[in-house]
Amino acid sequence: MIDTPRNVLSSSPAHAGTVRTGVLVIGAGAAGLSAALAAAERADVLVLARTTLPESNSAWAQGGIAAALDAADSPLDHIADTLVAGAGICDESAVAALAAAAPALMRELAASGVPFARADDDHFALGLEGGHSRRRIVHVGDATGWAVTRALIARARRHPRITLLESCHAADLLDDDGQVAGALVRDAGGAWLRVLAGATVLASGGAGALYGLSSNQPIALGEGIAIAFRAGAELADIEFVQFHPTVYRTRAGQGFLITEAARGEGGLLRTPAGERFMPAYDPRAELAPRDVVTRGIYAAMRACGSDHVLLDLTHLDPALIEAHFPTICARLRADGLDPASAPIPVAPASHYLMGGVRTDLHGATSLPGLYAAGEAACTGVHGANRLASNSLLECLVFGRRAGRAAALEAKGRGQAAGSRRHTAAGKASSPAGQPAEPWRAELAAVMVGSAGPLRDAAGLRAGLEALSGWPSQASPDDPAAITAANAALVARLILASALLREESRGGHFRTDFPRPGEAWRGHTILRRGAAPELAATVAAPPALAHAAD
Ligand SMILES: Cc1cc2nc3c(=O)[nH]c(=O)nc-3n(C[C@H](O)[C@H](O)[C@H](O)COP(=O)(O)OP(=O)(O)OC[C@H]3O[C@@H](n4cnc5c(N)ncnc54)[C@H](O)[C@@H]3O)c2cc1C
């Protein structure tokens, strides 16, 4: 059982001002911005970002967004591919809602000015990625997330009912009579605020940065998930972590993702000696699902005693490489590496969290007044493994649904309007919890050693033991310690859930239980103060007033 205090703050802040809003959205990535724009149709909305905008994982998404737009494709094929990737535990109604909404949503984004690549005036240029049976990746070069996020931010900034606050840190959720009533927030100037809201949407992103080398931004430590868990929200399937097979370590030691579109366009994986190894590992070779490619690379790295393999694009047309991957080319050249003439050293690194705060199809969590969307949520779309380019889509589709439902709830409670507009005092600054802090390296060593792509019971228990002494609370005056306490809690939750699931499925591979087990075809559920459990099917949380979509 994972127990932890209700609040991360060990004491109330000495002073805290009060701000009221209809809907509070914690997070300004694709999910939070989509939720905010939808909620603002009916309510005043306050959106918090932990850093300055547009910084977020959403802004760094490269490959694109999946949508069945080709004449030979259909949402049914998109559903089928998603279910295969999810390895038997996707929520089929969530997958159907995702795939059905995608084509119209892409047309809507294009009409609003997102410059998606075109085959001709009437058709999108569609890319191919691993696990997709058709070309269906809508993209803006290799900077899709940047283009989409920028468009959403511009719309949110123009909206009269939306207030965006940057460099604000939500630390704990507030309760009022059994209902989530907003959050306690530290603003850019270091002042504490009680943000009271008719409904709250958690869109705080994933937790890849717990692992050190990661494709994620350094703030992606799962803090929102910790906040929700402390408040009593149920989490589902948090052991399922996706490792991206091809992450390049920059000279500065940061992870930089090489999109799988590079393999989709013909990139080949080779050992440092130049031998291809994926065809012998899986018949789908470089285009196998991510977890299979990740384990194939691990096996190759072990066999040749190397910490990397090579992603070879040198046989491709240099003009194609430059046209399809300009951001990647620019980043690699900054390190003196030209992908047209030399293979790229890559290794697997943490990339995406499939599990999160359990929601229904409208983002409602198990806590009244709390909704969740995007990578912080578990809608059931991804099951045990996310299909490439389904996550931005999930943010857009389910963010919108969560925002609408939250606004309806706020309105139903007569709390759709906000008070005065709040402008965060002080200069926007980098958040606490930067990569140089020593606790990050300690936490990463535990996570890589115990809960990486290959796991077993002894390692998971050792990881839990290593984290048992970590502080679970912090002073309101110590923002870095607040982040560390929340990050360590999320790490413990991943370890506990991975220990419970005695099988291998999707992104979760146990060397002591290397096969999937029929008895495990269900969802792991974590709740504060309760033993972790496996639910055969996930029952919908109590229905609230839902908007149709
Ligand atoms: C390098 C990279 C490439 C990717 N490529 C693709 C791709 O091609 N296609 C695809 O579909 N997916 C891709 N993904 C995955 C996808 O980008 C993410 O899953 C998705 O963007 C998550 O969006 P989000 O809105 O849930 O979270 P994020 O975009 O991470 O936003 C989280 C927000 O929450 C805020 N926040 C966090 N904690 C707090 C707090 N305590 N208080 C206040 N605010 C907080 C952050 O500041 C941020 O604004 C990629 C991911 C990465 C890292």
Side-chain angles (χ1 to χ4, degrees), residues 27-28 30-31 50 58 61-64 168 170 204 352 375 386 389 391-392 395:
R50 181 89 162 78
S58 297
Q62 296 178 354
C168 286
S204 47
Y352 188 82
E375 201 170 332
R386 176 187 71 120
S389 289
S391 44
L392 277 179
C395 291

Side-chain angles (χ1 to χ4, degrees), residues 255-278:
F256 181 77
L257 183 145
I258 310 294
T259 174
E260 56 194 292
R263 282 175 283 128
E265 293 300 334
L268 300 174
L269 288 164
R270 300 184 188 279
T271 64
E275 298 295 323
R276 273 187 83 192
F277 54 88
M278 277 311 297

Side-chain angles (χ1 to χ4, degrees), residues 325-523:
F325 311 116
T327 310
I328 291 174
C329 289
R331 184 66 199 80
L332 293 173
R333 285 192 193 120
D335 274 5
L337 201 156
D338 181 357
S341 57
I344 311 161
V346 292
S350 62
H351 183 51
Y352 188 82
L353 186 64
M354 270 72 75
V357 180
R358 179 173 82 85
T359 72
D360 70 3
L361 291 181
H362 297 276
T365 72
S366 60
L367 291 182
L370 182 66
Y371 295 75
E375 201 170 332
C378 182
T379 59
V381 155
H382 306 299
N385 207 359
R386 176 187 71 120
L387 183 64
S389 289
N390 264 354
S391 44
L392 277 179
L393 180 60
E394 186 199 32
C395 291
L396 299 167
V397 173
F398 288 92
R400 179 180 279 190
R401 284 173 166 242
R404 282 191 184 151
L408 277 180
E409 181 170 354
K411 206 168 175 201
R413 293 177 194 281
Q415 298 174 351
S419 55
R420 67 185 170 83
R421 290 204 145 204
H422 177 79
T423 313
K427 200 166 152 281
S429 58
S430 295
Q434 286 300 290
E437 289 173 325
W439 60 263
R440 280 188 170 257
E442 282 175 46
L443 199 55
V446 171
M447 293 306 280
V448 171
S450 299
L454 302 178
R455 305 161 172 187
D456 64 23
L460 291 163
R461 287 202 183 93
L464 282 166
E465 178 60 28
L467 296 182
S468 59
W470 278 52
S472 53
Q473 286 189 304
S475 154
D477 302 325
D478 191 347
I482 295 171
T483 297
N486 277 334
L489 173 57
V490 180
R492 286 166 63 207
L493 294 169
I494 292 172
L495 291 161
S497 215
L499 185 58
L500 176 70
R501 188 177 284 278
E502 294 183 333
E503 66 156 357
S504 291
R505 185 184 293 277
H508 170 72
F509 194 87
R510 289 273 304 252
T511 53
D512 46 354
F513 298 98
R515 302 200 188 296
E518 197 48 37
W520 291 97
R521 187 192 279 267
H523 304 277

Side-chain angles (χ1 to χ4, degrees), residues 271-291:
T271 64
E275 298 295 323
R276 273 187 83 192
F277 54 88
M278 277 311 297
Y281 195 80
D282 188 282
R284 294 161 291 185
E286 280 83 358
L287 292 180
R290 284 183 180 165
D291 59 310

Side-chain angles (χ1 to χ4, degrees), residues 175-201:
D175 292 326
D176 182 20
D177 200 18
Q179 150 105 18
V180 171
L184 199 53
V185 175
R186 192 173 189 275
D187 79 7
W192 284 96
L193 296 171
R194 292 165 57 79
V195 181
L196 302 180
T200 300
V201 182

